[in-house]
Amino acid sequence: MIKKGIVVEVNNNEAVLFTQTGEFIKFKSKEKLQIGQEYTYTSINFKPFLIAASLIICILFGSFLTVYNQVYASIVITINPKIKIDINKFNRIIKIIPLNKDGEEITSSIKLKNKNINDGLILIINKAKEKKVYN
């Protein structure tokens, strides 16, 4: 954006430019400006860059969330508490489905979502031993 006008105010390294269209533009300048001087102000418009960068970040974040929440494999535990576990590509638990009453009792007492599958299985087995619900 190029604006041409007259400098109407100077304050250290800041100045105000009055343009031909009646706009007042406040800007920083490294030059030594004087009131009444004709000056051409050139600014870089970052809006298109910011919009493009924001769009790219949203697409990447959305893609990651889609991949993260996509079921890659399912495991069914049947040691009497019957539990189905859905995991993603990153070996993280994304969904826990108790398939019987004992499974419901186990899953309600521990937080498994987003845990590594190995850690989750150990927690389930330990909780089943603790509650003595396995056969």
Side-chain angles (χ1 to χ4, degrees), residues 35-131:
I35 295 177
Q37 173 185 347
E38 191 173 303
Y39 184 76
T40 303
Y41 170 71
T42 307
S43 74
I44 301 169
N45 192 354
F46 287 107
K47 260 188 188 175
F49 173 75
L50 290 175
I51 291 170
S54 299
L55 188 61
I56 289 169
I57 289 170
C58 289
I59 289 169
L60 290 174
F61 186 68
S63 298
F64 175 75
L65 284 179
T66 301
V67 170
Y68 189 86
N69 289 318
Q70 188 174 17
V71 176
Y72 184 71
S74 293
I75 299 171
V76 178
I77 300 170
T78 54
I79 54 173
N80 180 25
K82 224 174 181 185
I83 303 167
K84 179 182 176 193
I85 302 172
D86 291 336
I87 60 171
N88 63 16
K89 282 186 174 186
F90 308 105
N91 289 329
R92 296 288 177 178
I93 298 172
I94 55 173
K95 191 173 184 182
I96 303 100
I97 305 161
L99 300 175
N100 65 8
K101 187 179 177 190
D102 290 332
E104 215 171 287
E105 189 178 323
I106 297 291
T107 58
S108 66
S109 60
I110 51 177
K111 184 181 175 334
L112 296 170
K113 193 162 182 167
N114 296 321
K115 288 204 182 300
N116 181 293
I117 185 62
N118 296 330
D119 298 337
L121 290 173
I122 290 168
L123 284 171
I124 289 170
I125 292 167
N126 287 340
K127 190 55 93 171
K129 284 180 183 177
E130 178 185 307
K131 293 196 177 261

